[in-house]
Amino acid sequence: MSVASRQDTGFVRAALGHPAFLAGLALTALFVLAALISFLWTPFDPEKMQIAAKLQSPSAEHWFGTDHFGRDVFSMLMVGARVSIAVAFVAVGIGIGFGVPLGLYAAANRHGLIDEIVMRGNDLIFAFPSLLLAILITAVFGPGAVNAIIAIGIFNIPVFARLSRGAALSLWTREFILAARVAGKGSTRISVEHILPNLMNLLIVQGTIQFSLAVLAEAGLAYVGLGAQPPTPSWGRMLAEAQTFISLAPHMALFPGLAIVLTVLGLNLLGDGLRDLHDPRLRRSRA
Amino acid sequence: MNVSKPLAAVSAIAMAIGLAVVPAQAARTDIAVGMVLEPPNLDPTAGAAAAIDEVVYANIFQGLTRFTADGEVVPDLAKSWDISEDGLTYTFHLQDGVTFHDGSAFDAEDVKFSLDRARADESTNAQKALFAEIADVAVIDPQTVKVTLSEPNGSLLFNMAWGDAVIVAPETAETNAIQPVGTGPFRFDDWVKGDHVDLSKYADYWGEPAKLEKVTFKFIADPTAAFASVMAGDVDAFPNFPAPENLEQFKADSRFSVIVGSTEGETILAMNNKKPPLDNLKVRQAIGHAIDRQTIIDGAMFGYGTPIGTHFAPHNPAYVDLTEESAYDPALAQELLKEAGVSDLTLSLKLPPPSYARRGGEIIAAQLKEVGINAEITNLEWAQWLQEVFKDRNFDLTIVSHTEPMDIGIYARDDYYFQYGDPDFKAIMDELNDTTDPDKRTELLQQAQRKIADDAVNAYLFQLAKTGVANAKIKGLWENSPTQANDMTEVYWED
């Protein structure tokens, strides 16, 4: 207990001394919070149209103004955060859920046929530009939030498979793994009980980075009309719809654009910060 | 340089005089016209796409008759005609001295070839119905053609004015899709796919020569890019500008004139009449009453558009205003749904790309929600829409603008995508085709309008406005769209 708490204090102190990490954490928390609050409350119904009040500039009533249907942009952004976060979360989940077991399995059966198949399959998906692949998938299966999740999830799989395989390979040569093998544990058990826990930090860092890429990919898909379908608000589509209004109502493009930029920035800073904090050697060598 | 002072002074004076004497530079004779969609080919006799006619109609190809800017049908390649007493024989007298752009002469044989080709069984003409009553086309002499009908058709001259009925030469008919050869005042120069089509003035044109030397049609699908290209002067005129929200800015800018007119585009919320529960009249009526047309016009079209209550253009003299019959009344809509025994209704709403459909669809979905109908929006590209909705009829609701003139006849087609084909309606249409008396025709047309409004086949939204923008110095553009065309024959630049 005492050892753990001392470790925690160390982490917290290190974190407090890392302004980029704190900024990332704050930005991310802001958007997660906005998404969570949107379940309970938004200033206006994000789908409620008030054609008479369209294209209003930001005001005390409509904080971020209204769009071309007179909907409240702030409320739409809050609900849009929900969509972004949900899509990214599930997509990264798919990436980890499929990618990590594949990577671990490949590492445990190094140079086997399965290893080859899994890793060359990964190369195949990697060879495709990720957003193009996502567009391809949604174009084939039809636009919508679920298909966007699947599309983004699929290109997340090889990222995690490769990462966990690489890390697992170096772990397999370590003495404590050798000890476990001597003790008679099978390779699946070793992978789960000894390798996976040692990959956790790495996965958290990579997961955060992938999360930001997924948010960006979701916005990109929605921008070209392949994401969540109207009337569900989505940042990418808000940005696309704002295009022809850019000189009439620049706030329509500005706020969704800022939301995307700040979220991605926040997640990236958070990911970088986590990596620094989890890998003190890297941090020291940088400093 | 060592120029002596007197010489420099002289040349300076000369330059000054030169500038003063030479009048303001001569008016331009070239024009770049913006279009949203690129035509799939350039043969109006073998494709339904409006974009084909928007390039070639009256510019490259001509028919026996043509539409003017006001929608009037006037002589074109036929300078006059005689109609027999029984209305079955039309004798067309053709213009003299007409040549195709490849230099070959135009005569009665070309007319016979074109009409026979269009009405043949294997014809790929998109509007074969236009020629349905033609029983025979006979060449009397090179300047005279006799068209015999199987039954009287009061709209033959109107039909002959369509882009689908233009006259082509047998030698070039097969290659018109990529290398159109017609008789019009402009000849085809070049087509850079995905970018533009170039036309130039045809020197040996038989009629009043065009005032422009060169016409370029540029294809710009993205409304933002369209706005930028007009602002930058890359495009001189955009007759069907895709973003009505930008018109106010053009209006405020003295460099541009905004041309707002009417089109033949009845914009409708089409319903799949064979698919339950849309086969129930009460459900369709409920949808009609759930929709507030003016809000859609304001919200999706920024006020441009006229509400309609049936599938007919309000500027047509035979139009009946039936908007009251399906007036906005959400309470009545809910009542009708209850009577129909329908609750928790979820319908697909598939939307093609134009903003009238995408934006109108969002507004309609919100309005339907108010009466308890859940419309699930799917945004489709044109190709997907044509396949899924138009061909496969895999939809409940969709929004589209029917831009062909006088197209109420589509309601008589069994296989048309909204699947109406009511026998009583077909009877009205049959009678209409047999009638030449104008008063009787008007009466029948009004009967037809009432029939499809009573049956609430579709929800009739609004007549699409033609919202164009052009350089203020350009004159002679069409204000209205009586047919799908960008007629450049009268267009010129003011000095």
Side-chain angles (χ1 to χ4, degrees), chain A residues 45 47-49 51 54-55 68-69 71 139 142-143 224-225 229-231 237 240-241 243-248, chain B residues 222-224 227 243 245-246 249 295 298-300 302 358-360 362-363 366 369-370 375 377-379 381 384:
Chain A
D45 177 350
E47 294 175 19
K48 175 76 184 160
M49 295 182 184
I51 305 286
K54 70 183 171 194
L55 302 178
H68 57 300
F69 292 140
R71 294 177 296 199
V224 296
Q229 294 294 294
R237 204 180 59 252
E241 283 172 353
Q243 266 193 111
T244 56
F245 296 98
I246 195 116
S247 44
L248 286 173
Chain B
D222 176 44
T224 317
F227 178 72
E245 59 269 29
N246 293 136
Q249 279 167 281
T295 300
D298 290 343
F302 281 66
R358 292 276 168 93
R359 289 186 191 150
E362 279 202 62
I363 299 172
K369 205 175 169 188
E370 299 285 317
I377 293 177
T378 312
N379 289 338
E381 294 305 311
Q384 290 173 303

Side-chain angles (χ1 to χ4, degrees), chain A residues 40-65:
Chain A
L40 304 170
W41 173 87
T42 51
F44 290 84
D45 177 350
E47 294 175 19
K48 175 76 184 160
M49 295 182 184
Q50 296 246 290
I51 305 286
K54 70 183 171 194
L55 302 178
Q56 283 184 5
S57 297
S59 64
E61 194 189 358
H62 295 284
W63 300 341
F64 287 179

